[in-house]
Amino acid sequence: MDPKLELQQLDAERAELLTKANEGTITPEEVTRADEVVKRIGDLADIIRKRDETAKALTEAGRGRTSEVRTKDDDGEQPAGRTIGQRFINSDAMKAHREANPLGVSGKPVSIKAAGLGSFAAKAQGDPTPLGTNLGGAIVYDRLPGIVDLTYPKPPTLLDLITRGTTATSYVEYRQLVAATAAADVVPERGLKPLSELTTQVAQAAAHVVADGIKVTNQELADDGIIAALIDSVLARNVWGKIEDLVLNGTGTNEPRGILNTTGVLNQAFATDIPTTIRKAITKLRTTSDTEVQAVVLNPADDEKLDLLQDANQRYYGNGPFGAGPSTIWGRPRFVSSKVAEGSSVLGDFSTVQLLEREGLTIEAFNQNEDDARHNLTYIRAEVRELLLIREPAKLLVAELAPKTP
């Protein structure tokens, strides 16, 4: 069978399995079949790509010139572009569109699809190769996330703290570690070896899709710089803002369950003031789950309150308005997120939160309907599919930074 025809048939089967996974009706046998379909689709994609590359090389040779292949730009970056927007305008799909419409489009059909542009965050920002797994829930760590340069920090976000990776499964049941009783001890010769006790609970993770789109004029579509900027600023900001919101506030109903709605996450009541409350929360994490706090995530309003704290002589406790040092509290980096409610804070070891990419980012541009075509508008959509796992809820804590109102 022709690889492209087989790929079309498998893609239809993939869509059916995806619907069942999203509805929660997929069976264990269908999960196994889904993994087989995903693997075969990847194999077929490689076959088609190699075949197309061979055809292109033979075509170029027939024209009497060597095919121009660049592996890196002068500055060492991949020629596809440093950002998602640049990768889109340098994609084969966009180049084919430019060749077919050298003078731009005006009322013509538009259909551009650039798939596999990579992780919105990890690859676009030059992070190390993402984590990988071919088995649902089997995570292999190859980097430690959340390391922050406290001297010259880049503006950090919550998504910089959590573990990022890839997965080949659409649904997984996994064990969340709620508590652990350490039994490690010295063992005499022929003595009975100790056994630590783990308290776990079963959690589920299903792949979810996060997408957003914007409409652009055909004049804007004809300008690479404008399209790249819109993708990087508007679409990237909106999509990753929504993912950050899901990591924190996801309800578990038709979306992943976030940190604030996960059973087992610790809580710290308000105590005197914000610094005292956070210090007590650090102690609670240390004594309850043997956790060293990686960072403290605050609402912008609470972060401002910390910056403006003064002593009796109106001297700032922190760096003040002209300080250049890092934003910390009790030596821990302060991360700011508008997705955290004012009057609360989330702190702990965020590497236990795992966001696994199921399907890489896809950027599409097309005429959504006849009205768009008549008005010279094109719809550009960004879409990514991921799973969210919270492995050890007790290593995270939600602190109340203000007293409860009666």
Side-chain angles (χ1 to χ4, degrees), residues 78-337:
Q78 295 298 323
R82 302 175 185 84
T83 69
I84 296 301
Q86 290 169 338
R87 291 181 180 198
F88 174 70
I89 62 175
N90 286 308
S91 66
D92 291 339
M94 193 60 171
K95 289 179 180 178
H97 172 76
R98 290 278 186 259
E99 291 177 1
N101 301 278
L103 300 178
V105 295
S106 179
K108 297 181 181 179
V110 174
S111 179
I112 308 167
K113 181 176 181 178
L117 296 182
S119 168
F120 237 141
K123 294 182 181 179
Q125 296 177 6
D127 285 351
T129 301
L131 313 178
T133 173
N134 290 321
L135 299 175
I139 311 302
V140 180
Y141 294 91
D142 65 5
R143 71 181 178 98
L144 296 175
I147 304 302
V148 179
D149 182 349
L150 294 181
T151 305
Y152 302 101
K154 68 173 184 178
T157 70
L158 172 66
L159 297 183
D160 294 320
L161 290 169
I162 65 177
T163 298
R164 298 300 307 277
T166 60
T167 182
T169 188
S170 300
Y171 172 83
V172 62
E173 289 187 348
Y174 66 100
R175 294 197 305 168
Q176 284 181 334
L177 180 59
V178 179
T181 302
D185 201 355
V186 176
V187 181
E189 186 176 357
R190 295 190 297 177
L192 183 66
K193 302 300 188 294
L195 177 66
S196 295
E197 294 183 4
L198 303 180
T199 302
T200 64
Q201 61 189 14
V202 177
Q204 301 173 337
H208 59 279
V209 174
V210 176
D212 193 19
I214 55 175
K215 288 189 178 183
V216 301
T217 66
N218 289 340
Q219 289 85 355
E220 290 173 324
L221 183 64
D223 190 296
D224 286 346
I226 291 176
I227 294 303
L230 285 173
I231 291 173
D232 289 331
S233 60
V234 178
L235 288 183
R237 180 181 66 239
N238 292 352
V239 169
W240 284 101
K242 180 58 180 178
I243 291 177
E244 182 175 307
D245 180 57
L246 291 173
V247 170
L248 285 167
N249 304 302
T251 63
T253 302
N254 298 322
E255 63 184 27
R257 189 177 301 279
I259 294 171
L260 300 181
N261 292 306
T262 296
T263 302
V265 173
L266 303 180
N267 291 279
Q268 173 61 53
F270 178 75
T272 309
D273 53 33
I274 294 178
T276 303
T277 302
I278 291 178
R279 187 61 186 86
K280 287 184 175 295
I282 292 172
T283 299
K284 178 174 284 191
L285 281 163
R286 282 174 168 172
T287 57
T288 303
S289 55
D290 194 26
T291 302
E292 284 298 326
V293 172
Q294 182 189 32
V296 179
V297 184
L298 300 155
N299 179 275
D302 294 315
D303 186 62
E304 177 189 287
K305 291 176 184 176
L306 285 176
D307 280 339
L308 297 179
L309 285 176
Q310 296 175 322
D311 62 18
N313 295 316
Q314 296 185 330
R315 293 173 298 188
Y316 290 103
Y317 286 120
N319 296 323
F322 306 110
S327 295
T328 62
I329 181 167
W330 301 115
R332 276 74 177 179
R334 284 155 49 187
F335 279 52
V336 178
S337 173

Side-chain angles (χ1 to χ4, degrees), residues 30-84:
E30 289 172 329
V31 170
T32 300
R33 175 56 182 165
D35 291 337
E36 295 172 353
V37 168
V38 168
K39 184 178 185 303
R40 182 56 180 165
I41 287 176
D43 293 339
L44 289 171
D46 287 339
I47 292 172
I48 294 171
R49 176 181 56 79
K50 291 177 181 178
R51 187 178 68 179
D52 292 344
E53 289 176 351
T54 299
K56 181 178 179 181
L58 291 172
T59 300
E60 296 292 345
R63 292 174 180 172
R65 58 187 177 88
T66 303
S67 178
E68 296 178 1
V69 179
R70 289 189 302 154
T71 57
K72 291 187 177 181
D73 289 330
D74 294 337
D75 58 359
E77 294 291 341
Q78 295 298 323
R82 302 175 185 84
T83 69
I84 296 301

